[in-house]
Amino acid sequence: MINALFFVYSWFIFAPLMLAATVLFGLLCFLLVPFLGPRRAGRLTAVPWSRLGLMLSGVQVRLHGLEHLDPEQSYVIVANHLSQYDIWVLYGHLDKDFRWVMKHELRKVPVIGPCCALLGHIFIDRGDAQAAIASLETAKARLVGGTSILFFPEGTRSRDGTLRPFKKGAFRMARDLDLPLLPVTLTGTREILPPDSLRMHPGGATLTVHAPVVVDGNDEAALEAALARCRSAIAGVAAEGCLEPT
């Protein structure tokens, strides 16, 4: 009975409310960015929009390891990817100004795509390597004063919850810009909204921030070592579904 009631709530209350909220916060974003800039406008629009979506979904977020965040430090953030809810959890509760690296198809999503472009997020065309590199090169200039960049290094959502192999783009950027990597583990979001499903399930999600990792050297071995350390930190929590940071 409870599941049936939540299903009705999801479609007839939650969906209309979030559609209205998306339009409202989207319009506010367009109005604020020219005057406040992307950082402050994002905090006033994207962050509350994400938290509202989580609250209306019946999702509680537990946070661990936020002491690893330095407000003045820019990072290359790498996180595992389980569900569309990862976006709301990260945007709403990772206390850091950051820019997403996202597939270019999302630019076409009404309201959300134009707002993401206005806020300075980076759209990558995975089918055009040269265009993807050019987009990342442009993004480098934005990583100052604590502004960071966030990658899902698996490249796409894990369908079964298993951590997929990591691509090296984020790690190369960290090496090239001499920025620390910040590993982040998400757990619980796959159960809230499984892949290929539109049926939500209220529950808990956990965001765990790990200690920063530095690419110690310019060769491929140093890159591989940093990748392995980040993946190990993320996998240690993801595999157990535990709530304690490593």
Side-chain angles (χ1 to χ4, degrees):
M1 177 62 73
I2 293 177
N3 287 338
L5 289 174
F6 191 76
F7 179 78
V8 172
Y9 163 81
S10 298
W11 283 103
F12 294 99
I13 299 177
F14 169 81
L17 282 176
M18 282 311 300
L19 179 60
T22 299
V23 173
L24 176 63
F25 280 115
L27 291 173
L28 190 59
C29 176
F30 276 95
L31 291 172
L32 293 180
V33 168
F35 301 99
L36 302 181
R39 180 181 297 199
R40 293 181 64 191
R43 284 194 173 275
L44 292 172
T45 57
V47 172
W49 172 72
S50 298
R51 292 185 176 182
L52 178 64
L54 292 167
M55 182 187 73
L56 293 177
S57 303
V59 175
Q60 295 182 331
V61 180
R62 290 161 288 197
L63 307 173
H64 296 273
L66 293 185
E67 67 275 9
H68 294 305
L69 285 172
D70 179 348
E72 303 302 321
Q73 175 66 57
S74 295
Y75 298 98
V76 176
I77 305 167
V78 288
N80 63 316
H81 193 15
L82 298 168
S83 165
Q84 298 290 12
Y85 266 78
D86 297 340
I87 295 169
W88 277 349
V89 172
L90 286 163
Y91 224 154
H93 291 280
L94 183 61
D95 190 20
K96 195 69 181 167
D97 178 56
F98 61 86
R99 302 292 177 265
W100 297 96
V101 175
M102 58 183 70
K103 57 187 178 181
H104 76 106
E105 290 88 353
L106 294 176
R107 186 190 287 269
K108 301 175 183 177
V109 176
V111 183
I112 294 174
C115 283
C116 285
L118 197 62
L119 291 172
H121 297 300
I122 301 102
F123 296 92
I124 296 292
D125 185 352
R126 295 173 184 166
D128 187 337
Q130 292 300 319
I133 292 171
S135 296
L136 291 176
E137 288 294 329
T138 301
K140 290 179 180 179
R142 304 170 189 166
L143 306 184
V144 294
T147 297
S148 301
I149 187 167
L150 189 146
F151 287 81
F152 290 127
E154 296 168 276
T156 187
R157 282 175 293 165
S158 171
R159 298 290 169 178
D160 60 2
T162 302
L163 193 64
R164 296 161 54 89
F166 281 6
K167 300 179 184 298
K168 294 182 180 179
F171 305 92
R172 290 198 177 97
M173 177 173 278
R175 180 188 62 189
D176 294 346
L177 297 180
D178 194 26
L179 290 178
L181 292 143
L182 189 72
V184 172
T185 304
L186 297 160
T187 56
T189 52
R190 184 174 181 273
E191 288 71 30
I192 293 165
L193 184 65
D196 305 315
S197 173
L198 294 176
R199 186 160 187 172
M200 302 182 305
H201 304 274
T206 303
L207 186 156
T208 301
V209 180
H210 303 278
V213 172
V214 175
V215 182
D216 191 15
N218 294 319
D219 57 6
E220 198 67 15
L223 193 78
E224 293 281 1
L227 185 154
R229 287 178 61 192
C230 289
R231 193 175 189 282
S232 177
I234 293 170
V237 174
E240 300 173 14
C242 66
L243 305 182
E244 296 302 322
T246 55

